[in-house]
Every structure is written in structure tokens, then in C-alpha cells.
Amino acid sequence: MRIVVPIKQVPETSAVKMDEATGTMIRDGVEAIINPLDLYAIEIAIQLREIHGGEVVAISMGPPKASIALREAIAMGCDSAILISDKAFAGSDTWATSNVLAAAIRRITIENGPIDLIVCGERATDGDTGQVGPGIASFLDLPVASYVCKINEITNGLCCVHRMVEDGYEVLQIQLPTVMTVVKEVASPRLPTLRGKQKAKKVDLTIWDVKNLALEGSKLGINGSPTRVVKIFRPSVARNCKKFIALDDNAIQAAADRVVGYLQEKKLI
Amino acid sequence: MDYKGIWILAEQSAGRVQVISHELLTRGRDLAGKRQTELTAVIFGNNINNNDLQELIERGADRVLAMEAFALEHFLIEPYAACMLHLITQYRPEIIIAGATSTGRTLMPYVAIKATAGLTADCTVLDIEEGTGNLLQTRPAIGGNILATIKTPKCRPQMATVRPQSTQPAPRQAGRKGTVERLQAPSHLLVSRMQRINFVKNQEEHGLAHANAIVSVGRGIKKGENLKIIHPLIKALGAALGASREVIDRGWLSYSHQVGLSGKTVNPKLYVAVGISGSIQHLAGMQTSENIIAINSDPDAQIFRVADIGVAGNLFDIVPVLAEKIRQARMIS
């Protein structure tokens, strides 16, 4: 079984602080990590290889430092990794990103033979769109199962999965090759082993650029992206909060009375 | 031919039109008014209830395009995408709005690639840019720390998804006129390499989406065992239990409790935020609640900016007192 896992390096968003004066993100000291939701994709891919044999290839489109994320994927147990990096990719939206990742997967197929499965995280924690997984499938003309929470079995080129939807889960049977996007319930990510870390340190990463992928210039980066960010701002807030500071027992009693009064006034209790 | 008209993607389950469709009509009516153009509800399914299709007209659609086939009974990416692309090529809409549901969030990106369309996920505000007529799409980004406004200057259609429950359903106006077109899906579009062989309905149901009152907890409760401090308050208010992403990520509660951009969007009559600092990620999921009460140790926490009434102090001291006072107030009334 040959599996490709596209991953993304993201800022540790829970640590992101905003500069209140300028409304911009303070990036200093913010760690770059593997998108936490991609760890579930890496884990399930490794588990499938352990059952069915084959190999797991991690790929990432990003700046040169995204190689750190790919080495972490190898430390977890991926067999190899490819960094797709070129200045021409700067400013890519999800359309342009999906195009590049799909081209890379096509090239892997040409060089090393057919891929059975492409496993993506549900979304990246920075962009939060969840569009690139289905986007890759669309460029490759493959089916996509999104929100996969369980992989039941893979036999005779058919894959049976559970897909989480609003009020339950669907059981789907899909012909391979296919793309799937997975949610947290699919597996719990392992920690890198010492041996994995040593391998990750030594391994030569393959690096591909625009020329390697024979991509059309007009479809790359900001010029190849249908969407444009026109404004970034901090949200404004509308409500006028009546706020009570309650640091001692008297103040707590008084504040609680005011809240109860509010609930009664609004007929909420 | 120019691209013209606004579409919303209505959804059905077992032939019945889902409420997300009515919410999208509210968005669609607003945009169609600003663009002075026609609003179309597009829906895929099999034997869709006729009254429900008529109701789409009464709630604001000028036209309903219902494409039907046995293979469209449930969402399957390939036939749904092929049929939608078929309709886009034929009718050339300038804007398509869908719900950010498990269907919309899968179908829209798949279609947008093949249509070379711009797509923006999870928009909170949709507007029309004066002069150009471009769709302005505003959404939270970077973990909800900022809002970004995005447009698609050249490519058409312009596509966007919006969160379920982020708008009120469009009101029904009896006798409103429009056309309902039932179309038979061409069979060559119905090929699928994926089959739906079963569906299992959730047993666990907190009813967050339809609760009148929700009490949500955040990182301020410090550890999972401390959740028990919230229970008297939940009981006193008859509330459902929600949580911020931090609580889910730490494994203190299951994902189905999560309120926020990456969880559920809710708009109950009463939302009580306990120990939640109020990242935009969280606010995006609850700020349309009718009444918001916040309890947080940090008097400068963001959550107070969206609250109607707030108490700044130690939640472990405040919550039990408040729960008891509410319980007593209810016993008297």
C-alpha cells in the first residue's frame, strides 16, 4: 500500500498574541509546528502501512524551514518526505495550493508507481479552511471521503470507512485510489522514537520546485489564486458589558444577586 | 455570456429540505437585493417533498432548481459535483453560497477547483463591494485571532460557505411567487466510485444546537475533574454543557461539546461562559446568543467585550454561589 500524506507547517496558534495597537500578529517567538490535525493523518497512514506493508510519503508545500515539519513526520515513522518549495508559490490560496500538491502527487506516481491512498488532516489550524484535501482530490479526479473517523478494512482495492456527519456517521465503501480527510477520532498520534529521530536527522529530503513539477506559471502563487485578501482587522464588539469585580465574599454575593436579577428581568429563569 | 444571479445550495435529508437552506435564503436575499438580481435555490436529491420546495420560494427564492436521481438521494462527492458543475456551466451564477456542513465543506471545494472559482470557508459576514459588485467575504483566520475580508476579483462564480445557525432562517411569506423546476439528472453524471452502505445515528445527544440555555467552560476550570463544579449551575438553568477548544484539546470533554469556529455555532437565549477568555475562535461560535453572561478571573478578558453582564473573579468561588441563588430564585417563582 502506497500512501501520501500532505502536511502543513503552521504557527502554534494558541500562542499567537496580537499587537492591540496595530492589529497585527506578533510572530516573534511563536513556534512553527506540524499542523496538529495532520498528526492524525500521519498516524493512520503509518498504521495502515504496518498492516498492509508498503510506504508512507509525507509531502509539504512551504518555505525551506518546512523541512523541519517533514523531518518530524519521518521521526514519527514516515518512510520518506518531499519538500515542495519555490518563491513562486508565495501568496497561494487553497486553489493554487491544491494544484501544486496534486502535481507533486502526480510526479510521485510517475517516478515510483501508483498511489493507493492520500490522507489529509481535516484542516490546518492557521487557515482553518479544510479545502485543500477535497481540492487535491478534485485536481486528481479522485473521490474524497471527508471527516473520516474510522477505517474499517481495506481489501481487494476497496476501502470501508466511517464518515462523521452532523447527526451520526455514514459507512462508505470506496474504490482505491482515493483521498480522505481524517478527524481526531481516527487514531491517536504516536510520539517520535529515538531511532526515528536519528533517521530524520540523517535523511536527505527531496526538494522539488516549479521546474521539477512542470507547473504553469499563470496558475501559481498570488497570480494563480482566485481569491485575494483585501483587509485584515481585529473584530469590533457590540455589547456593553455590565461588569462586576468580585474578589471577596460580599462582592461575590452582590454580583451573583445582580446576575440573578438580570436573568429574572430577561425572563430567563 | 455574463455570470448572473445568486445561488444558495439547499440541502435535503430523506427528501425533506433542511433548515440550513432557510438560513442561506436570509443571506441570499440580502445579496440578491444589493445586486438587484434573482435568487435561486439549488438542491440535489431524490423525490424531494414538493411542499418543501414551494416553501423555499415562500422564504425568498425566486427560482428553485431541484435536480433529482436515485443516486442523488444521499451526498456522494462525484455525482453531486458533476451535477453541480453541469448546472453552473448551463446557468452561470455569479455567486454560490452553501452551508459549512459536512456536505457543503466537501462539495464546494471540489467544485470550486474544477470551475476555477474562488472559495472562502466559514464566512461570518457577506457583503457586496460598491462599484465593482464583487462579493466581500469576511471570516476569522489564524486560530480566530483576526478577521480577514476576501474577494474574488476576476474568477466566477464567487463561492462561499457560512456556518449553520449563524443567521436566522428567512421568514415565510405565504403566497410569494417563484418557479420550481424539477430536473432529471443526466445518467452519465451519476457515476460514483464511492457507495454509502449504511448510516448510524448518534446516540450521544447534548442538544447543543437547539438548547435554550448553554453553560460553556474554558481553560479556567484548570482540570477535567473540576467540571463537577459546573453541574449545579447547569442543573439550575436547565442548560446544555458546551466548552471552548482548549477544553476539548485537553481531552476534558468530547468534541461534540465544542462551541466555536472549529466546533458548533450556537445561538441560545442564554449563554454562560465560565473560565473562557474569548478567543475569536470561540466568539465566532456563540456571539449571536441573545444574552451572554461571562465569569472570568481576568477583568480584561475578551469575553467581557461580547457579554451583557459579567463577573470578574475566581470562578471556583462565584459559580457555587450563583448556582444556589438561581436555584432559590426558581423555587420561589
Side-chain angles (χ1 to χ4, degrees), chain A:
Chain A
M1 181 141 224
R2 300 189 63 238
I3 307 170
V4 172
V5 184
I7 65 171
K8 185 179 186 188
Q9 190 179 49
V10 299
E12 227 262 83
T13 43
S14 58
V16 167
K17 294 267 184 302
M18 300 300 293
D19 183 328
E20 290 290 338
T22 61
T24 55
M25 201 174 116
I26 303 168
R27 287 169 186 273
D28 296 347
V30 177
E31 204 189 340
I33 55 171
I34 296 185
N35 168 37
L37 299 174
D38 291 344
L39 298 177
Y40 302 91
I42 295 171
E43 174 61 34
I44 193 67
I46 295 170
Q47 285 185 17
L48 289 171
R49 182 200 58 201
E50 286 167 352
I51 299 168
H52 300 279
E55 64 167 332
V56 178
V57 183
I59 64 173
S60 188
M61 181 182 114
K65 73 164 188 180
S67 61
I68 299 166
L70 288 168
R71 286 186 196 278
E72 281 173 41
I74 287 179
M76 276 178 76
C78 292
D79 297 281
S80 59
I82 303 166
L83 174 67
I84 305 141
S85 190
D86 199 305
K87 285 204 173 71
F89 299 150
S92 294
D93 71 356
T94 59
W95 195 98
T97 304
S98 305
N99 183 32
V100 170
L101 290 170
I105 292 166
R106 257 186 237 114
R107 166 137 192 206
I108 295 171
T109 309
I110 291 165
E111 291 199 346
N112 302 316
I115 303 292
D116 300 295
L117 196 58
I118 297 149
V119 192
C120 307
E122 181 210 330
R123 61 191 156 77
T125 54
D126 57 348
D128 251 334
T129 72
Q131 288 173 184
V132 171
I136 292 171
S138 189
F139 271 114
L140 295 174
D141 271 319
L142 292 177
V144 57
S146 51
Y147 307 105
V148 168
C149 55
K150 191 175 179 204
I151 299 180
N152 269 353
E153 55 168 357
I154 301 180
T155 42
N156 303 322
L158 286 176
C159 179
C160 181
V161 304
H162 292 182
R163 173 176 183 259
M164 213 189 256
V165 295
E166 282 72 11
D167 54 348
Y169 66 86
E170 300 173 329
V171 183
L172 301 172
Q173 194 175 58
I174 321 157
Q175 282 175 38
L176 299 182
T178 188
V179 176
M180 57 178 76
T181 73
V182 296
V183 293
K184 287 177 184 172
E185 286 75 4
V186 82
S188 3
R190 66 191 69 191
L191 292 169
T193 59
L194 189 61
R195 232 177 93 203
K197 281 182 185 168
Q198 283 165 342
K199 182 186 171 194
K201 215 183 276 176
K202 280 185 238 145
V203 77
D204 278 325
L205 290 185
T206 305
I207 301 173
W208 286 346
D209 61 13
V210 169
K211 279 189 232 104
N212 296 121
L213 297 178
L215 286 160
E216 223 180 291
S218 65
K219 291 184 177 170
L220 299 178
I222 193 156
N223 292 325
S225 296
T227 62
R228 291 273 183 289
V229 176
V230 288
K231 192 169 75 167
I232 288 179
F233 58 105
R234 292 282 278 163
S236 62
V237 279
R239 299 186 200 214
N240 264 330
C241 182
K242 275 174 278 172
K243 187 163 60 189
F244 303 99
I245 311 285
L247 300 176
D248 59 44
D249 192 49
N250 283 342
I252 288 171
Q253 294 288 338
D257 284 335
R258 296 295 291 266
V259 172
V260 171
Y262 178 87
L263 293 171
Q264 285 168 328
E265 180 198 330
K266 298 285 180 183
K267 300 193 173 9
L268 294 164
I269 55 172

Side-chain angles (χ1 to χ4, degrees), chain B residues 94-117:
Chain B
E94 64 169 342
I95 293 172
I96 307 174
I97 313 293
T101 59
S102 58
T103 297
R105 298 199 64 164
T106 311
L107 179 60
M108 292 286 272
Y110 203 91
V111 166
I113 294 295
K114 293 200 190 294
T116 320

Side-chain angles (χ1 to χ4, degrees), chain B residues 226-294:
Chain B
N226 290 340
L227 273 169
K228 59 179 184 288
I229 195 173
I230 299 300
H231 290 139
L233 183 60
I234 286 176
K235 204 171 160 214
L237 289 168
L241 175 62
S244 69
R245 184 159 89 180
E246 283 82 1
V247 168
I248 309 304
D249 285 350
R250 283 169 173 73
W252 298 341
L253 280 170
S254 68
Y255 175 70
S256 54
H257 291 276
Q258 188 176 328
V259 173
L261 187 62
S262 50
K264 288 192 175 68
T265 306
V266 297
N267 52 5
K269 282 202 166 68
L270 173 64
Y271 191 89
V272 185
V274 179
I276 292 177
S277 62
S279 68
I280 300 173
Q281 144 75 33
H282 188 74
L283 302 187
M286 49 64 76
Q287 61 190 353
T288 56
S289 304
E290 275 180 45
N291 297 280
I292 298 174
I293 298 176

Side-chain angles (χ1 to χ4, degrees), chain B residues 108-327:
Chain B
M108 292 286 272
Y110 203 91
V111 166
I113 294 295
K114 293 200 190 294
T116 320
L119 170 61
T120 306
D122 285 331
C123 300
T124 50
V125 180
L126 294 174
D127 202 359
I128 299 291
E129 187 176 49
E130 272 180 51
T132 65
N134 283 326
L135 179 65
L136 293 175
Q137 306 154 112
T138 299
R139 70 181 302 264
I142 322 280
N145 286 286
I146 57 164
L147 290 170
T149 301
I150 291 162
K151 68 177 176 183
T152 305
K154 293 197 190 93
C155 300
R156 292 291 180 274
Q158 308 160 89
M159 298 170 69
T161 62
V162 298
R163 301 303 302 255
Q165 296 222 293
S166 63
T167 346
Q168 293 295 320
R172 194 167 179 168
Q173 302 159 254
R176 196 176 176 281
K177 292 277 178 283
T179 54
V180 175
E181 295 175 39
R182 281 178 182 268
L183 312 164
Q184 190 60 43
S187 59
H188 70 276
L189 301 179
L190 301 176
V191 181
S192 180
R193 286 168 282 184
M194 182 190 289
Q195 307 301 325
R196 182 183 190 266
I197 53 181
N198 198 4
F199 173 71
V200 180
K201 210 170 158 49
N202 271 345
Q203 298 299 313
E204 196 187 13
E205 191 53 70
H206 324 289
L208 263 193
H210 301 289
N212 273 324
I214 294 173
V215 175
S216 280
V217 292
R219 202 164 41 178
I221 65 156
K222 295 196 172 89
K223 48 185 175 183
E225 301 94 85
N226 290 340
L227 273 169
K228 59 179 184 288
I229 195 173
I230 299 300
H231 290 139
L233 183 60
I234 286 176
K235 204 171 160 214
L237 289 168
L241 175 62
S244 69
R245 184 159 89 180
E246 283 82 1
V247 168
I248 309 304
D249 285 350
R250 283 169 173 73
W252 298 341
L253 280 170
S254 68
Y255 175 70
S256 54
H257 291 276
Q258 188 176 328
V259 173
L261 187 62
S262 50
K264 288 192 175 68
T265 306
V266 297
N267 52 5
K269 282 202 166 68
L270 173 64
Y271 191 89
V272 185
V274 179
I276 292 177
S277 62
S279 68
I280 300 173
Q281 144 75 33
H282 188 74
L283 302 187
M286 49 64 76
Q287 61 190 353
T288 56
S289 304
E290 275 180 45
N291 297 280
I292 298 174
I293 298 176
I295 300 168
N296 202 293
S297 57
D298 174 6
D300 298 322
Q302 287 286 334
I303 192 76
F304 289 120
R305 295 166 67 177
V306 300
D308 297 292
I309 186 164
V311 185
N314 182 342
L315 71 91
F316 296 99
D317 296 332
I318 295 162
V319 169
V321 174
L322 182 60
E324 181 55 23
K325 281 187 191 287
I326 292 170
R327 194 182 70 83

